[in-house]
Amino acid sequence: GGVTIAGDYAVTSVVSGTTYTITITSPATSATGGGTVTAQYEYPTGLNVYSIGTGWGAGPWSRGTWGSGYSSGIGQQLRLWSNDNYGADLVIAPRGGPIFYWADSTGVGTRAQYLSSLANATTAASDNATFSGSATSITVSSAVAPNLYPYMVITGTNIPAGTKIASSYITGATTVPITTTTTGASSGTYTFSYAGSFVPSATYQVITSAIQEFVIAFGSNSYNPNNAATAFNPLLVRWSDQANAYQWIPELTNQSGEYLLTNGSYIMGARSTRQEILVWTDSCLYSMQYIGAPYVWGFQVLMDNISIMSPNSMITINNVTYWMGRDRFYMYSGRVEVLPCALRQYIFDDINQDQAYQVFAGANEAFNEVWWYYVSQSSRNTIVDKYVIYNYLDRVWYYGTMARSAWMQTGTQPYPVAADYNGRLLYHENGCDDLSTSATLPIDAYVQSSDFDIGDGHNFGFVWRILPDVNFNGSTTNQPSVTMTVKPRQNSGTPYGTADNPQVQSAQNYTTVPEYTIQQFDGQVYTRLRGRQMSFRIESNTLGVAWQLGTPRIDIRPDGRR
């Protein structure tokens, strides 16, 4: 009917499992027509403008076929990964249920609980059930809505402690197997209860305290014995019983509990460190430390009236935590300090604050660096495209342009691993060329100084020679080289004059030498330029070149006062 389907379209409604609706802006000229349409589907990208509580685990990321995040009758789910279970056995916590592993990827019926016992499960909802048929099955007829609870615990005469139903969700009168073979009488009336009914149904973040063996939810719905689905509180911290990840009901016999933070409007994130857990709200930093029963966890304000850019903008290295605030950088090493930053104005004027939640931090420990990736004002499609680095050993800052969506460095990886926007995982600090595309490309590497005076800037200086100090260890080519550039100014604020670009070349063949020897390269290069101040730059942009700059010397002689 005169309509061409081409371009990007949003799905406006889902009619069935195989049918959906899109909207075409131009009207049709008739009710007839037809043709072949090829569609490519994108992952849901979340909201155009962020709001608190959305992103991973909320909104479109928690539904659909991606990871089977939503199923009828199960409700909202939260998935967690660790180094031990990445890519398999995903830990999930369904609404109103305990934490458990998928036994495999075939569906709901294959769930296997990750807990060794349910012997002391607290009754959240109970009813009577008739145990009949055999010693390994039970017929259940219940008025309770059990589809919110993934396990049913059986208690009664001749029933071993911890016997549970671990099968599909029970509705009405259903015969299901029992995981533990019973002994004794094969019929009678027994009581069953649903385990894990008060696991938090919503949360900003879940972490574990590995040494103390707690599962902790930051931002949560509170515990109410008469209501498992209380309202979400963005400042509430809840934790499970110690070494008992499915028990979230506070009792005198366990260490489960909750604590309401008072400074701020919502919890931004938390990080576990060597001696404490750091908890950021939008305006405060708390220290959370284990103190034992009866209070279990103690909370202390470390600093108020501070800021944090995003839930992933903090990182801990060598027991020092660094993070990016809304207008400055911070560190915590026992006390909170503001990091002096020579690039502060440039970075925070350049950040797209509407995309602040995309900021994430990473570590490059081999070079003593903390990285922050962010969305710049000039970024196309609001993707992460720039970074700023703090070298905490030398206490210097530098910045650059690079599109990355995630960063990870752990002891299990030989190099830092980053993800790009083409769906690839890339090693960093490995080799000396760019292998992120189909063709091998050289890396445009450079270091440039700010302007410095010749003498005190009173006289002109004539620069006639540079004595380079550079090595080419790590190169993979014959006779690698770098370019050293000296750019003069007549006065501060005037444009640069004519620059000189001498090249420094190695005398070695790094494609054949199996080990490094004493460096041999151009001992001196000659220049001709004059000015009151100048800037120095060293760079390379050829394949197979790696270099390190030492302390070069520049020969200058006085050249008048004009």
Side-chain angles (χ1 to χ4, degrees):
V3 172
T4 299
I5 300 177
D8 293 345
Y9 300 93
V11 175
T12 57
S13 64
V14 178
V15 181
S16 68
T18 58
T19 308
Y20 56 85
T21 303
I22 62 175
T23 300
I24 310 298
T25 56
S26 59
T29 57
S30 67
T32 61
T36 300
V37 175
T38 301
Q40 291 181 316
Y41 301 98
E42 299 176 341
Y43 285 131
T45 56
L47 304 177
N48 290 330
V49 179
Y50 75 84
S51 61
I52 302 303
T54 63
W56 289 92
W61 279 109
S62 59
R63 292 180 173 85
T65 57
W66 184 87
S68 299
Y70 176 84
S71 300
S72 176
I74 299 178
Q76 199 76 17
Q77 297 175 346
L78 175 67
R79 292 193 164 193
L80 306 175
W81 289 267
S82 73
N83 288 333
D84 297 326
N85 70 347
Y86 186 81
D89 291 339
L90 303 181
V91 183
I92 72 170
R95 184 185 300 277
I99 295 175
F100 58 87
Y101 279 136
W102 287 110
D104 55 43
S105 59
T106 59
V108 174
T110 62
R111 290 187 309 277
Q113 191 165 9
Y114 178 55
L115 309 170
S116 60
S117 172
L118 283 175
N120 299 315
T122 301
T123 300
S126 63
D127 202 347
N128 290 329
T130 301
F131 181 72
S132 62
S134 69
T136 58
S137 66
I138 184 170
T139 299
V140 178
S141 182
S142 173
V144 181
N147 62 317
L148 294 178
Y149 311 102
Y151 296 98
M152 190 179 76
V153 179
I154 311 298
T155 58
T157 306
N158 297 322
I159 300 294
T163 299
K164 62 184 180 296
I165 290 177
S167 184
S168 58
Y169 290 86
I170 304 163
T171 56
T174 308
T175 299
V176 293
I178 296 177
T179 58
T180 304
T181 303
T182 60
T183 58
S186 61
S187 64
T189 301
Y190 298 86
T191 300
F192 68 87
S193 63
Y194 298 108
S197 58
F198 289 96
V199 171
S201 60
T203 181
Y204 283 155
Q205 182 183 4
V206 176
I207 69 172
T208 60
S209 175
I211 298 177
Q212 290 82 20
E213 299 183 275
F214 287 88
V215 177
I216 308 169
F218 296 91
S220 174
N221 58 309
S222 62
Y223 168 70
N224 184 325
N226 300 315
N227 182 10
T230 54
F232 178 78
N233 189 325
L235 283 172
L236 185 68
V237 180
R238 282 188 66 188
W239 56 89
S240 70
D241 186 18
Q242 190 173 34
N244 194 351
Y246 67 92
Q247 176 58 279
W248 292 74
I249 300 174
E251 295 179 331
L252 293 176
T253 56
N254 67 42
Q255 295 194 60
S256 175
E258 61 185 46
Y259 185 86
L260 181 63
L261 305 181
T262 56
N263 290 31
S265 300
Y266 53 88
I267 294 174
M268 180 69 81
R271 288 292 184 274
S272 182
T273 64
R274 182 169 60 91
Q275 295 178 329
E276 59 195 332
I277 297 175
L278 299 177
V279 185
W280 287 263
T281 70
D282 57 325
S283 64
C284 182
L285 175 62
Y286 282 88
S287 171
M288 178 178 175
Q289 294 181 313
Y290 180 69
I291 57 177
Y295 300 106
V296 187
W297 290 95
F299 294 81
Q300 179 183 359
V301 174
L302 296 176
M303 188 172 184
D304 203 356
N305 295 320
I306 63 172
S307 63
I308 184 168
M309 186 67 77
S310 74
N312 293 311
S313 64
M314 68 285 281
I315 191 167
T316 300
I317 305 173
N318 299 330
N319 208 38
V320 179
T321 300
Y322 305 87
W323 72 96
M324 177 189 285
R326 283 285 182 175
D327 58 355
R328 65 195 65 192
F329 295 90
Y330 298 89
M331 65 175 287
Y332 172 74
S333 58
R335 66 176 184 178
V336 179
E337 300 177 62
V338 176
L339 284 175
C341 178
L343 300 176
R344 176 183 171 186
Q345 181 177 359
Y346 170 81
I347 297 300
F348 291 103
D349 284 350
D350 189 43
I351 287 181
N352 184 339
Q353 294 282 354
D354 291 336
Q355 298 295 323
Y357 266 41
Q358 291 200 59
V359 172
F360 63 91
N364 192 352
E365 295 187 56
F367 295 93
N368 311 303
E369 294 171 343
V370 181
W371 293 56
W372 284 277
Y373 282 91
Y374 64 92
V375 181
S376 71
Q377 295 283 358
S378 58
S379 172
R380 298 182 59 186
N381 302 320
T382 60
I383 65 171
V384 175
D385 64 330
K386 288 189 178 181
Y387 63 86
V388 58
I389 301 174
Y390 175 60
N391 187 307
Y392 50 84
L393 184 63
D394 297 330
R395 298 184 180 182
V396 296
W397 295 82
Y398 30 105
Y399 64 95
T401 300
M402 187 184 299
R404 296 290 184 265
S405 59
W407 180 283
M408 178 183 69
Q409 175 168 327
T410 67
T412 61
Q413 299 289 342
Y415 303 101
V417 179
D420 68 6
Y421 285 91
N422 294 314
R424 295 170 298 198
L425 295 177
L426 307 172
Y427 272 139
H428 282 242
E429 311 300 348
N430 181 23
C432 49
D433 297 320
D434 184 359
L435 304 179
S436 63
T437 61
S438 57
T440 302
L441 300 174
I443 293 178
D444 185 12
Y446 71 91
V447 174
Q448 180 171 328
S449 74
S450 59
D451 286 1
F452 57 90
D453 291 336
I454 299 175
D456 60 1
H458 183 63
N459 293 329
F460 275 85
F462 178 76
V463 181
W464 65 279
R465 184 175 62 169
I466 298 176
L467 304 180
D469 181 14
V470 63
N471 75 57
F472 295 90
N473 290 344
S475 298
T476 59
T477 187
N478 184 24
Q479 294 185 306
S481 65
V482 295
T483 300
M484 290 184 172
T485 302
V486 182
K487 300 188 291 186
R489 288 187 197 269
Q490 181 175 346
N491 297 299
S492 298
T494 59
Y496 283 117
T498 302
D500 214 330
N501 308 89
Q503 190 177 73
V504 180
Q505 186 171 359
S506 173
Q508 293 169 275
N509 183 355
Y510 285 89
T511 61
T512 60
V513 176
E515 60 185 30
Y516 301 133
T517 60
I518 296 175
Q519 294 292 309
Q520 297 179 13
F521 49 84
D522 296 335
Q524 57 184 351
V525 291
Y526 295 97
T527 62
R528 291 184 61 84
L529 56 94
R530 64 193 300 272
R532 282 194 172 93
Q533 60 191 58
M534 68 180 67
S535 173
F536 174 82
R537 178 184 176 107
I538 178 173
E539 60 188 318
S540 66
N541 190 24
T542 53
L543 291 172
V545 176
W547 50 267
Q548 289 181 304
L549 179 66
T551 307
R553 288 165 289 176
I554 301 176
D555 274 350
I556 307 171
R557 66 188 182 204
D559 195 47
R561 297 187 178 184
R562 289 180 300 168

